Amino acid sequence: MITAAAHAGFHAALHRLDVKADPSSWVSELLEGTNHAVYVSAKNESEMSFAVAVVDFENGRMAYGSAGHHPQYLQSGTGAIKALLAQQAPQLGKAPVLGTRASTVDLQPGDRVIWYTDGLVEGNDAKGEAIGKARFQRAIRAAKLESSDGAVEWLEKVIEGTVGCKSSALPELARADDITVIALQFKARIAARSDSGAPVAPPPFSPKSEAA
């Protein structure tokens, strides 16, 4: 029931909002719309975490927001890791209004962003040992950034370093809680084009709020 309501709120925002006009506002209103749907259907008896992000590949700007979700991680081409801490809101369904705003970050060529559900860091590895965020971060740092690697190959290294097995074995570990891991590799900005087909320079980056 809650999942169906969340889908309804999500799709309503998708049809109502123009993500190209203002990605940050789109993320914020998507959070609010989905939260309202969950709050009405759950009647404050249940909550769910939620995270959303939109990437403009013309200028590398990513707008993102979260409602009670673990932060995604950004790894630069140099290997440095940063937790992308959005202006945190309570989980969906706990209050009628979240009152949160999207955060933004400027992606550079070579950057990789990773999203994950709590089932990964709050669960146990293949040996039955607790994983935790610190171990997950160490696995991200240890995953070598080979030039030939795409997001899939890099993510496979991160997963193996975190849980001690290949991603194909994750369904066995996910019996206690679902495990989802998503990675984005930002290779280069895509030149915008005018109606005539000529390249158009992207606007300068001007974040509305800095990621912590």
Side-chain angles (χ1 to χ4, degrees):
M1 179 178 179
I2 295 177
T3 301
H7 284 174
F10 183 85
H11 286 292
L14 287 179
H15 290 291
R16 183 178 70 253
L17 304 172
D18 185 355
V19 64
K20 291 185 178 180
D22 188 348
S24 293
S25 294
W26 184 88
V27 167
S28 299
E29 293 190 38
L30 179 62
L31 282 165
E32 290 290 354
T34 308
N35 173 72
H36 178 73
V38 174
Y39 180 81
V40 170
S41 65
K43 298 179 174 58
N44 204 28
E45 295 180 356
S46 185
E47 308 89 34
M48 62 182 291
S49 59
F50 187 74
V52 60
V54 177
V55 180
D56 186 336
F57 289 99
E58 293 179 0
N59 58 22
R61 183 182 308 152
M62 183 174 79
Y64 59 98
S66 174
H69 206 279
H70 288 291
Q72 58 260 52
Y73 288 101
L74 168 65
Q75 184 177 40
S76 69
T78 63
I81 297 176
K82 179 180 181 179
L84 298 179
L85 301 174
Q87 185 185 70
Q88 192 63 272
Q91 289 184 314
L92 299 182
K94 294 192 72 172
V97 178
L98 292 178
T100 187
R101 294 172 55 192
S103 298
T104 55
V105 64
D106 194 17
L107 299 178
Q108 302 296 326
D111 285 354
R112 303 181 188 200
V113 183
I114 186 167
W115 293 263
Y116 58 98
T117 57
D118 54 10
L120 178 67
V121 294
E122 296 177 4
N124 297 329
D125 63 11
K127 296 180 180 179
E129 299 175 352
I131 296 173
K133 288 184 181 180
R135 180 169 170 180
F136 181 46
Q137 293 171 12
R138 289 195 298 271
I140 296 175
R141 291 190 179 93
K144 294 183 179 179
L145 294 169
E146 304 293 346
S147 59
S148 60
D149 282 353
V152 174
E153 291 80 7
W154 174 74
L155 184 57
E156 184 68 54
K157 295 177 182 179
V158 173
I159 291 174
E160 188 171 1
T162 302
V163 301
C165 65
K166 297 289 187 180
S167 60
S168 58
L170 284 181
E172 186 67 23
L173 298 178
R175 289 184 174 182
D177 194 0
D178 65 282
I179 297 176
T180 301
V181 190
I182 302 173
L184 164 72
Q185 181 180 26
F186 186 72
K187 292 185 176 181
R189 295 179 176 85
I190 300 175
R193 293 186 177 276
S194 65
D195 294 337
S196 65
V200 176
F205 175 67
S206 180
K208 293 186 175 182
S209 58
E210 292 295 333

